[in-house]
Amino acid sequence: MTKHIFVTGGVVSSLGKGLTSASIGMLLEQRGLRVRLQKLDPYINVDPGTMSPYQHGEVYVLDDGSETDLDLGHYERFTSGKLTRDCNYTAGQIYLSVIEKERKGQFLGKTVQVIPHITNEIKSVIKRMGGDNVDVVITEIGGTVGDIESLPFLEAIRQFSLDVGRDNCLYMHLTLVPYLKAADELKTKPTQHSVGQLRAIGIQPDVLVCRCEHSISRDDREKIALFCNVPTEAVIEEKDKDFSIYEVPLSLVDNKLDELIVEKLGLVTAQSLDITPWTDLLHGLRNPRHEISIAVVGKYAEHKDAYKSIYEAIDHAGMHHQTQIRIGRIQSADIEREGAERLLSGYHGILVPGGFGERGIEGKVQAIRFARERKIPFFGICLGMQCAVIEYGRQVVGLDRAHSSEFDKDTEHPVICLLDEQQNVTQMGGTMRLGSQPTVLDKDSIAGQSYETENIDERHRHRYEFNNQYRQQFEANGMRFSGTSPNGCLVEIVEIPDHPWFVAVQFHPEFKSKPLNPHPLFIGFVAAAVERHSDRKSSEQSAPTPQPR
């Protein structure tokens, strides 16, 4: 029978349940087990697709077109289990499904209630993850214990153990053990209260993962174990990682969490643990051969999670090249006020990511012009590609005031326009061009050489595209369309051949990058930035030393 691990959180939000769940999944996979991961979010939105990046961070897109929580990015980066729309449900989806069943008369006139109808629906989406080809399902419950909206989910996972047997379920609770500087001690009371609330609901945690700034003493572990009714060895310390999030699995191994899970769930097919590739990865990260800086010019730059996967993909490529990368988060609106020269001149590479809305667009266009004219390696993603087309149209092709019809419906030169299939779309949620789409590459292009193949599949999330009416004009002025849809109708990749590295893509390559398997375009971009750094360093060293007068 499939075993189930339920991960809950208490005290405060943003404790890292997603990262911990992904790390556990990776460790169990390295023991030869087949693992699937799932996130259940208690908010009423049907999916994160229409939520603000400032509140929710990035929207992570799966191959099947699902718009999901950013924690699923952690799941994919750490594990190899396939993720589908079944891997992320919100309270909005759960309630919508129950209401649709009620409208169809499936409840035969019964009063529809949270218990049993909502909880049964939640249990059904958890059971859907199991099966003969899955050893362990890890289900993360969003929010914190004590939130009103989380109660149906906690009640559902309480009932779940009655359905499948307590021996087939493991409850893991993340809590905060804060350090009070004035008292110079860790405080265990918040953890005690959090576990007390969980037990009042009817869930006794099997394992406590304690987030902390300072190491937890043996006395404090025993105190937590005593008041929370868990064995001392089940109190797991998870200290903050200042160096890299990819240290988290190794920290859990040091605390023998994987051994504890294997023992408690009776996972008899588990093999001995081998995480050599992971330790080698971190060794390279700690011992870089190069150090460069890359500017990410975005609309939501002040909110780190808004471009989470992009920052991770840059780091993955840095690990591949044994390069430490300093990422500068630059607000595109600031470039409009202060100029690209002042904010971008010190960087070895410039990346312009996606986004929605008109604010900051001209700052992105200015950043791209700066990268193109100064021969700085440039990488544009989604809206970043569209801005690259706008900039090239204005400055090189000679199309004054070229723009996207998304931002200027009356522009004389709509070099970016709405997809034909989007013309009559009125609803916002889940209606964009989403998920994995095929692209055919020019094998002699930068993209073709990076991928080393002519056919690729990448994930999309957009409504606007390059306007084919302008294709001949752009090609005549030096822009290369190195990737298109199989029928040649949609432009997916643009390049500038006489530039050291200028590539812009309509899709989101960051979603398919992993620490042990970096995305080829990010590898190429970072390689170009490293080369620029080396060239600048060589020219500085070869410059004649000024002689005193």
Side-chain angles (χ1 to χ4, degrees):
M1 176 177 277
T2 300
K3 306 291 186 176
H4 290 266
I5 299 173
F6 296 104
V7 181
T8 58
V11 185
V12 295
S13 59
S14 301
L15 280 178
K17 296 191 300 295
L19 191 54
T20 301
S21 299
S23 298
I24 293 167
M26 186 275 279
L27 295 176
L28 295 180
E29 274 194 348
Q30 295 302 114
R31 283 179 166 270
L33 298 169
R34 298 163 298 178
V35 179
R36 293 196 73 190
L37 291 104
Q38 178 184 49
K39 173 77 180 286
L40 302 181
D41 272 311
Y43 51 76
I44 304 299
N45 304 68
V46 172
D47 60 46
T50 56
M51 296 176 71
S52 167
Y54 291 109
Q55 288 193 3
H56 193 265
E58 75 175 0
V59 176
Y60 191 81
V61 180
L62 304 181
D63 280 340
D64 64 6
S66 304
E67 295 175 289
T68 69
D69 183 82
L70 62 81
D71 278 331
L72 273 75
H74 290 312
Y75 301 168
E76 278 205 320
R77 286 187 282 270
F78 279 70
T79 69
S80 60
K82 184 173 177 57
L83 299 185
T84 66
R85 62 183 68 253
D86 287 334
C87 298
N88 190 198
Y89 278 89
T90 68
Q93 288 172 296
I94 297 294
Y95 277 84
L96 182 61
S97 177
V98 171
I99 290 169
E100 287 175 344
K101 289 178 181 178
E102 186 274 333
R103 292 287 83 189
K104 294 176 183 177
Q106 292 185 23
F107 298 122
L108 302 176
K110 293 179 181 178
T111 302
V112 179
Q113 298 175 288
V114 172
I115 303 174
H117 300 96
I118 297 298
T119 52
N120 282 348
E121 187 72 17
I122 295 170
K123 288 190 291 182
S124 73
V125 304
I126 298 172
K127 289 176 182 175
R128 209 172 293 162
M129 295 289 291
D132 295 336
N133 62 340
V134 181
D135 296 312
V136 181
V137 172
I138 302 172
T139 300
E140 174 192 348
I141 308 298
T144 58
V145 173
D147 296 342
I148 292 174
E149 58 266 30
S150 296
L151 288 175
F153 292 91
L154 296 173
E155 171 62 18
I157 65 172
R158 182 196 69 80
Q159 294 177 17
F160 197 86
S161 67
L162 303 177
D163 296 346
V164 302
R166 187 64 177 86
D167 291 343
N168 295 311
C169 293
L170 184 146
Y171 296 101
M172 182 179 300
H173 190 55
L174 265 74
T175 68
L176 177 68
V177 181
Y179 170 75
L180 294 188
K181 186 176 181 180
D184 190 28
E185 61 181 354
L186 293 171
K187 291 296 182 181
T188 65
K189 192 63 72 177
T191 293
Q192 295 175 42
H193 283 309
S194 179
V195 173
Q197 283 187 299
L198 197 60
R199 293 171 68 186
I201 295 168
I203 298 174
Q204 169 60 53
D206 300 293
V207 178
L208 296 179
V209 178
C210 301
R211 285 294 307 274
C212 52
E213 293 180 78
H214 299 265
S215 295
I216 302 174
S217 67
R218 179 71 183 182
D219 288 344
D220 281 335
R221 285 195 189 209
E222 291 176 350
K223 183 178 181 181
I224 292 170
L226 176 64
F227 283 97
C228 297
N229 196 33
V230 298
T232 303
E233 62 269 18
V235 179
I236 306 297
E237 174 189 286
E238 188 176 271
K239 283 182 66 177
D240 294 348
K241 299 293 179 291
D242 295 328
F243 182 67
S244 170
I245 62 171
Y246 300 110
E247 292 180 290
V248 172
L250 304 184
S251 171
L252 298 181
V253 170
D254 291 340
N255 282 269
K256 300 183 179 180
L257 179 57
D258 58 309
E259 295 180 16
L260 187 65
I261 292 171
V262 167
E263 179 185 348
K264 283 186 173 291
L265 288 177
L267 296 165
V268 295
T269 60
Q271 304 167 5
S272 58
L273 183 66
D274 180 13
I275 52 173
T276 303
W278 212 260
T279 54
D280 291 345
L281 180 84
L282 286 169
H283 175 76
L285 190 60
R286 290 191 181 99
N287 299 277
R289 294 186 301 166
H290 312 284
E291 183 176 346
I292 63 170
S293 58
I294 288 175
V296 176
V297 181
K299 299 177 62 174
Y300 324 113
E302 75 273 27
H303 187 51
K304 186 177 180 181
D305 283 347
Y307 302 120
K308 183 67 175 177
S309 292
I310 284 176
Y311 297 143
E312 295 305 315
I314 292 172
D315 282 344
H316 301 163
M319 297 175 199
H320 177 84
H321 290 292
Q322 283 190 263
T323 299
Q324 182 177 336
I325 301 177
R326 179 177 62 85
I327 297 176
R329 300 182 179 91
I330 310 296
Q331 283 273 35
S332 55
D334 290 344
I335 292 179
E336 295 176 6
R337 290 189 295 269
E338 303 180 42
E341 175 74 38
R342 184 169 185 272
L343 297 178
L344 299 177
S345 58
Y347 290 96
H348 306 107
I350 296 172
L351 186 150
V352 175
F356 296 90
E358 188 175 1
R359 180 180 62 83
I361 291 299
E362 293 304 322
K364 290 190 173 190
V365 171
Q366 290 178 39
I368 294 167
R369 181 179 181 182
F370 184 81
R372 180 178 59 80
E373 293 181 343
R374 299 297 181 89
K375 304 293 185 182
I376 301 171
F378 168 76
F379 194 6
I381 294 175
C382 197
L383 180 58
M385 182 200 112
Q386 296 174 5
C387 288
V389 169
I390 292 169
E391 190 279 329
Y392 203 82
R394 292 176 183 175
Q395 304 300 328
V396 180
V397 184
L399 303 174
D400 290 341
R401 293 184 294 278
H403 220 312
S404 166
S405 59
E406 179 182 4
F407 311 123
D408 183 358
K409 296 186 183 301
D410 300 320
T411 179
E412 184 181 352
H413 296 293
V415 293
I416 302 295
C417 63
L418 193 65
L419 283 158
D420 290 341
E421 64 202 53
Q422 294 286 320
Q423 295 293 338
N424 298 315
V425 172
T426 56
Q427 288 192 319
M428 295 287 288
T431 57
M432 287 185 274
R433 185 178 184 229
L434 291 165
S436 184
Q437 307 286 344
T439 295
V440 178
L441 303 179
D442 179 343
K443 64 180 181 180
D444 297 322
S445 65
I446 295 174
Q449 293 172 1
S450 296
Y451 282 99
E452 297 182 343
T453 183
E454 294 182 37
N455 295 282
I456 61 169
D457 290 279
E458 291 284 4
R459 299 176 191 177
H460 291 246
R461 186 176 184 254
H462 64 105
R463 297 184 193 277
Y464 290 79
E465 63 168 358
F466 179 84
N467 189 340
N468 283 320
Q469 292 181 7
Y470 293 91
R471 191 181 290 195
Q472 287 186 345
Q473 287 177 265
F474 274 76
E475 285 181 323
N477 283 275
M479 179 167 274
R480 183 181 211 166
F481 300 104
S482 59
T484 64
S485 56
N487 61 8
C489 291
L490 299 180
V491 171
E492 304 285 21
I493 307 176
V494 301
E495 300 179 7
I496 300 177
D498 63 351
H499 190 282
W501 206 95
F502 190 107
V503 178
V505 300
Q506 184 59 74
F507 46 83
H508 288 270
E510 69 271 22
F511 292 151
K512 297 184 77 170
S513 183
K514 298 190 177 191
L516 296 176
N517 187 23
H519 193 281
L521 289 181
F522 279 91
I523 290 176
F525 173 55
V526 170
V530 170
E531 185 175 351
R532 176 177 175 82
H533 173 259
S534 300
D535 289 345
R536 287 177 61 179
K537 193 173 181 180
S538 298
S539 62
E540 289 171 1
Q541 290 175 348
S542 60
T545 304
Q547 297 298 317
R549 294 182 180 180

